[in-house]
Amino acid sequence: MSRLEIGTPAPSFSLVDQDERRVDLESLRGSGVILFFYPAAMTPGCTTEACDFRDSLVPLQDAGYRVLGV
């Protein structure tokens, strides 16, 4: 699979979340979704990114976004 360009819709996928619930991207189409990847957990850059999303979660949700971290 090639790298997506900014603004390109993500391909459909299904994953299980931290509570063992299935999340289907297709069911979220048409709503605001922020999909971010943190490939190296517990590293400064990825931790900072994840913490920023955590700290901004309420305003993002209030603006209609769902934040998904992979």
Side-chain angles (χ1 to χ4, degrees), residues 17-66:
D17 72 7
Q18 71 276 6
D19 298 316
E20 300 297 319
R21 291 180 299 206
R22 185 180 170 128
V23 177
D24 298 302
L25 185 60
E26 196 60 39
S27 69
L28 301 173
R29 294 233 187 253
S31 61
V33 175
I34 297 171
L35 176 63
F36 76 99
F37 294 85
Y38 48 107
M42 306 310 277
T43 60
C46 290
T47 299
T48 299
E49 178 183 41
C51 289
D52 187 46
F53 281 117
R54 178 203 60 208
D55 296 345
S56 303
L57 189 58
V58 171
L60 289 167
Q61 289 173 331
D62 289 347
Y65 289 96
R66 182 160 177 193

